[in-house]
Amino acid sequence: MIYLAIGFPPAAKSCAYRMRETANQFINQGWDVTVVTIAQESWERDSGVDLTLLEQVDPRIKIVELPLVREDLETDIRLYSEERALNPNGWVTRLRRRQMEPFPEPNFGDWREDLEKAVLRVHGEHPADLLLASCVPYVNLAAAWKLWEEAKVPYAVDFRDGWSIDVIDGVEAFARDSAEGVWEQRILDNALSLWVVNDPIAEHYRTRYPDFADRVHVVRNGYDADSSPGKAHRANPEAGLAFGYLGTVNFTVPHLETVLNAWRAAREKEPLLANATFEVRGHIGNGSGREANRHAEVLKQAEVDGVRFGGPAAKAEVASIYARWDAMVLILIGGRYVTSGKVYEYMATGLPIVSAHVVEHDASNVLRGHPLWTGAVGIDEEGLTESFIKAAHMAVETSDEVHAEAMAHADQFTREALMTSAVKQLIDDCTALGEQNTDTADAPLAENQIVAGGPSL
C-alpha cells in the first residue's frame, strides 16, 4: 500500500497519531506499507516535530520524505526576495494565486507535480495494490488520481474532517460546480471508500453523493491506550487542585478569554479552587507566530490567577502529565461537525471534564454517559464558572469506583480497536474489488461490449 500521509510522525500534528496507527494496522494485516510524507525539516518551520512519535512506528514501514515546504513559513529574512521584503502582503497574495493554478488549494496546490511523480516512482519500484490518501492537504487527491489514471491502482480517501463541509461554521465549503467541487466529485466517483471522523460529516457526504453513500464510513479518531494514566486518581485539595488543558491552541482569543474569566470567577467563589492551578499545554501558532501571538499574551496575563502555559508536550509525556492533574478542561472550536481527537483521551483519564465548547457539539455526543462530565453549557462565562466549581467537587469527592467507571466509558474508543476494524474493512473491500475485476476479465465479451479503463464503483 502507498499511504499519502503528510503529517506522519515525527510531525507534531494531531493527525500523526491516526496516521501512525493506520500504517501499523496495515502492517499487522500482512501488507507492505510505503508512507509518502514531507521532510522533518519542513515541520520544523511549521508546527514542530516530536521524535517520540517515531518510537511506535513499525520498523517495517518504509517512509519516503519529499523536500516540500511552505514558502510562506520561511522566517530567515536573508532568503527573502526583494519583492517579498518590500511588499510582503502582495507577495503572499501572488503566492496563493500561483499555488491555486495546479490544484485548488492554497499553501499546497503547487505540490501536485512532486506528489504525482512520487507515487508513480514508488509504484514503479514496488507495485501497489492500494493507495490511501489522508487529507489535509487535499492536493494528495491529485496524486491518488494520477496513479489511478496511469496504473488503475484502487484508492481510498481519509478526509477526517471533510472537504466540502466547513466543520467550524457547519456550512457548505464550496459549490458542486467549483474547481474544488469538480475535484471532489471526480475523486469520490471512483474511490473505494471514504473515511470521516463522525456521523454528522458522514451524513453530509451521504446526502451530497447519494450514489456513494454506502462507501462512506465513520472512523473515529479514538485515543492511544498508553496516553492514559490507567489508574484511579486521588486529589489533594490542600496542595491545590490542578486543572489542565492539553491540545492545540486553535480557538479564538475571545474564546480563551471567556474560559479564563470563568476560571478567575470560580477561584474567587469556591474555596476548593482558591489555591488551584490551571496548566495549558500544547502548540500555539505555527511558523514565525509560534508562541508569539495574542493567545500567548493572554495566558501570560492570567498567571496571577494560577494559569501556567507549559508549551508543547511530547507524546511520551502525555500519560505522566495527565497523572498529575485533577480535572480536565476541554476547549474546542466548531459545533456538531467537530469531535476532536482529544475528547477520547480526556475521557480515558477518568478525571472530571469541563466542556468549554458550544452545546451542540459532537464532543457532547461522545461524552454523554461519562459519569464525571460537567455537561455542555456553551461558551458562557457564568455557566463555565459553575462547571469549574462542579469539577472541583467531583475531583475531591469521587470514589475510586466512579473513576474506574469513567475510564471504562472510554474503552470502546481505543485507537487500536477502531483502526483495526477500519483497516480490515478496507482490505476486504480491496480484495472484493480484485475478485470482481478477475471475474470481469475472465468473462466473454458480449457483442458491442466496451471494456472500461477501470472498475465502475
Side-chain angles (χ1 to χ4, degrees):
M1 182 192 74
I2 297 174
Y3 188 20
L4 282 166
I6 295 172
F8 196 81
K13 302 277 287 183
S14 59
C15 63
Y17 313 133
R18 182 182 181 94
M19 292 175 173
R20 182 179 66 181
E21 191 62 41
T22 301
N24 283 347
Q25 288 305 324
F26 268 98
I27 289 288
N28 291 343
Q29 294 285 340
W31 282 56
D32 293 334
V33 177
T34 299
V35 169
V36 177
T37 183
I38 61 177
Q40 292 186 29
E41 293 77 10
S42 300
W43 293 113
E44 288 170 355
R45 73 159 63 172
D46 192 325
S47 56
V49 297
D50 178 0
L51 296 177
T52 69
L53 288 171
L54 292 171
E55 294 171 4
Q56 294 183 38
V57 173
D58 194 294
R60 292 170 290 180
I61 296 171
K62 181 181 179 182
I63 301 176
V64 175
E65 295 186 344
L66 305 180
L68 297 172
V69 296
R70 280 186 56 177
E71 294 179 57
D72 59 310
L73 297 183
E74 177 59 70
T75 57
D76 187 347
I77 61 174
R78 294 171 298 180
L79 301 177
Y80 286 13
S81 65
E82 181 178 359
E83 175 194 12
R84 181 176 186 180
L86 294 177
N87 184 9
N89 291 334
W91 178 86
V92 169
T93 298
R94 285 183 285 275
L95 173 66
R96 297 284 185 271
R97 189 181 302 124
R98 187 175 77 245
Q99 290 168 330
M100 296 281 283
E101 290 174 0
F103 186 85
E105 183 178 24
N107 298 322
F108 308 107
D110 55 351
W111 290 6
R112 176 179 176 177
E113 183 177 356
D114 291 287
L115 289 167
E116 289 177 343
K117 288 180 179 178
V119 297
L120 290 173
R121 183 175 66 252
V122 170
H123 178 68
E125 295 169 354
H126 188 36
D129 300 294
L130 175 69
L131 181 147
L132 176 60
S134 185
C135 306
V136 296
Y138 298 102
V139 69
N140 281 334
L141 301 176
W145 182 254
K146 185 68 172 180
L147 193 59
W148 167 251
E149 278 192 313
E150 296 283 335
K152 289 297 176 282
V153 175
Y155 62 87
V157 178
D158 185 4
F159 266 165
R160 305 201 302 269
D161 287 337
W163 193 13
S164 56
I165 179 71
D166 181 334
V167 297
I168 305 303
D169 295 328
V171 297
E172 182 184 59
F174 48 76
R176 294 285 294 270
D177 60 355
S178 65
E180 295 92 336
V182 170
W183 263 106
E184 185 176 81
Q185 175 83 59
R186 176 188 301 159
I187 288 294
L188 296 186
D189 276 348
N190 290 282
L192 191 60
S193 178
L194 172 65
W195 292 355
V196 294
V197 298
N198 61 36
D199 292 296
I201 298 174
E203 185 58 31
H204 161 79
Y205 277 102
R206 289 169 183 151
T207 301
R208 189 178 178 94
Y209 305 105
D211 292 341
F212 185 72
D214 61 344
R215 284 176 275 156
V216 179
H217 302 285
V218 175
V219 181
R220 292 186 174 274
N221 277 318
Y223 72 98
D224 298 311
D226 63 357
S227 294
S228 171
K231 60 182 180 181
H233 183 80
R234 288 282 185 180
N236 182 359
E238 293 183 4
L241 295 180
F243 283 62
Y245 169 85
L246 174 59
T248 303
V249 180
N250 58 0
F251 32 85
T252 66
V253 170
H255 191 159
L256 175 60
E257 289 175 331
T258 298
V259 173
L260 295 179
N261 288 341
W263 168 255
R264 182 186 308 111
R267 289 180 90 230
E268 293 172 351
K269 184 176 181 180
E270 172 55 54
L272 279 174
L273 291 171
N275 62 341
T277 59
F278 180 10
E279 183 178 11
V280 176
R281 299 294 302 271
H283 291 274
I284 299 181
N286 62 4
S288 60
R290 200 187 310 171
E291 296 183 26
N293 50 36
R294 180 59 182 156
H295 292 83
E297 294 174 4
V298 169
L299 288 169
K300 181 71 175 176
Q301 293 165 1
E303 287 183 356
V304 295
D305 301 313
V307 177
R308 302 287 183 270
F309 174 61
K315 177 67 169 175
E317 299 179 273
V318 171
S320 61
I321 291 172
Y322 288 153
R324 68 171 185 259
W325 289 345
D326 301 304
M328 310 290 296
V329 184
L330 184 65
I331 312 174
L332 297 175
I333 58 175
R336 65 183 298 263
Y337 291 98
V338 176
T339 304
S340 158
K342 281 299 176 184
V343 63
Y344 307 105
E345 200 170 272
Y346 279 30
M347 288 193 302
T349 66
L351 299 175
I353 300 174
V354 174
S355 274
H357 52 71
V358 298
V359 175
E360 296 298 323
H361 198 287
D362 193 58
S364 298
N365 298 327
V366 177
L367 284 163
R368 197 163 288 116
H370 189 281
L372 295 179
W373 180 40
T374 62
V377 298
I379 308 169
D380 173 76
E381 188 174 321
E382 291 185 6
L384 288 172
T385 298
E386 294 305 314
S387 291
F388 276 120
I389 293 172
K390 186 176 181 179
H393 282 275
M394 285 178 170
V396 173
E397 300 165 5
T398 300
S399 66
D400 289 351
E401 290 74 21
V402 175
H403 278 299
E405 182 185 343
M407 287 187 284
H409 182 75
D411 287 348
Q412 60 189 308
F413 298 115
T414 61
R415 200 187 315 272
E416 181 179 6
L418 293 171
M419 203 54 68
T420 297
S421 176
V423 167
K424 186 179 185 305
Q425 178 63 57
L426 182 52
I427 290 173
D428 289 345
D429 291 344
C430 187
T431 301
L433 176 62
E435 292 172 350
Q436 172 189 322
N437 288 344
T438 299
D439 292 342
T440 302
D442 291 341
L445 294 178
E447 185 177 359
N448 298 326
Q449 181 177 349
I450 299 174
V451 179
S456 176
L457 301 178

